[in-house]
Every structure is written in structure tokens, then in C-alpha cells.
Amino acid sequence: MSVKVDLNQLGTTLAAYTLAYLITVDDAYHAHTVAVEPAMVDGVIDVGPVGGRTRRNLVLHDGVTLLCPPAKPGGYSLIVDGR
């Protein structure tokens, strides 16, 4: 089951999650996942500093996925695709 989040409510919804996984892909489309602490800043999701591999992947493919796991068992994950 999924629940859609209106883009106007994304910042409020994101604030309920303290941890997320930023997923990028390399040139061979192998996933690379790093833990981040996302925050909505001026309408943009800021994940803080990222390492060299993540940065290289973003140069190759600017599409990313942010996966925020539920805080409690049985809760909802938040999945955001973006650039």
C-alpha cells in the first residue's frame, strides 16, 4: 500500500524522517547507496555533503532516489525520485 504526498506537503512530511538513503547509479547502472540526513531548504531537498563516488555518479546520471525508512515498524517509507 502507498500514500501519495502532495509536493506542497513534502517538506513537512520529510521533517518526520531523520535518516534516508540516497541512491545513485554508476555508468554500468550499479546502485550506490549512502546514508544522509535530508532537510527541505528553500524548496530543495538538501542531503548535505556527499562523497566522491556519489558525485561522480551524479555527473553520469542526474536521476536519484531518496529512500526514507519508517521510524517505527509498520510505518511508511518515503520514496522521492528527483534530480
Side-chain angles (χ1 to χ4, degrees):
M1 177 158 113
S2 63
V3 177
K4 290 188 178 186
V5 175
D6 184 273
L7 283 178
N8 295 325
Q9 299 299 318
L10 183 56
T12 303
T13 302
L14 185 62
Y17 296 86
T18 57
L19 171 74
Y21 298 101
L22 179 66
I23 305 165
T24 60
V25 295
D26 64 18
D27 207 29
Y29 291 94
H30 295 120
H32 176 67
T33 305
V34 294
V36 295
E37 296 178 7
M40 186 69 80
V41 178
D42 297 326
V44 175
I45 298 175
D46 182 350
V47 297
V50 296
R53 183 179 298 178
T54 299
R55 210 169 290 130
R56 280 190 301 276
N57 288 351
L58 290 170
V59 169
L60 296 169
H61 307 282
D62 64 350
V64 299
T65 298
L66 189 67
L67 170 61
C68 305
K72 298 178 184 177
Y76 288 100
S77 293
L78 176 65
I79 302 171
V80 182
D81 291 321
R83 288 187 152 62

